Amino acid sequence: MTTTWRLIGCASTAAALLLSGCGAPAPRPADRPAAENAAPVVIDAEVAGGQVRTGTARVPVPLGSQVRYQVRSDQPDEAHVHGFDEAVQLTPGRAGVIEFTADMPGVFEVELHHSGLSLPSLEVR
């Protein structure tokens, strides 16, 4: 067999292997329903007098869910969801809202940048 035919054979095999990986997405585990049809996960956090009034417990979030994180603060600040790099400027008297899809598993901290306060974190699984 000549070198040319060997290269053609190797290229054909590589192309077949590559294409066999394409196509339908991997099936979802049966115990994890599709989150696209689920109601969004709504989290409310409130900061007043330099204290988080709504607690700082972790909030469970199903993977793939829409998240609506609402923050009220009596001081101007910026709320930031680490890992998703989503943020909102906070104005006293108005709720700041961050909306995103929780498409990465893990624990993600949420904090106020100027005051350094930690808000309820997200546990996406």
Side-chain angles (χ1 to χ4, degrees):
M1 190 181 249
T2 67
T3 303
T4 304
W5 285 109
R6 284 186 187 152
L7 289 174
I8 291 172
C10 287
S12 297
T13 302
L17 289 172
L18 180 64
L19 291 175
S20 69
C22 298
R28 275 192 180 284
D31 63 338
R32 183 180 291 157
E36 309 74 61
N37 299 328
V41 176
V42 179
I43 298 126
D44 289 304
E46 182 180 355
V47 176
Q51 303 244 334
V52 179
R53 300 287 183 188
T54 50
T56 58
R58 271 188 199 161
V59 177
V61 177
L63 183 64
S65 296
Q66 285 299 117
V67 175
R68 180 178 172 90
Y69 204 113
Q70 303 171 149
V71 183
R72 290 189 177 275
S73 176
D74 62 350
Q75 298 294 315
D77 212 322
E78 179 184 69
H80 181 253
V81 181
H82 290 274
F84 289 98
D85 293 327
E86 298 286 344
V88 65
Q89 293 296 320
L90 302 177
T91 303
R94 301 175 86 181
V97 177
I98 303 170
E99 293 181 303
F100 60 97
T101 301
D103 56 2
M104 297 181 291
V107 176
F108 301 92
E109 294 180 356
V110 182
E111 71 172 357
L112 299 185
H113 273 282
H114 301 297
S115 66
L117 293 172
S118 292
L119 300 175
S121 59
L122 307 175
E123 185 171 0
V124 180
R125 49 188 164 117

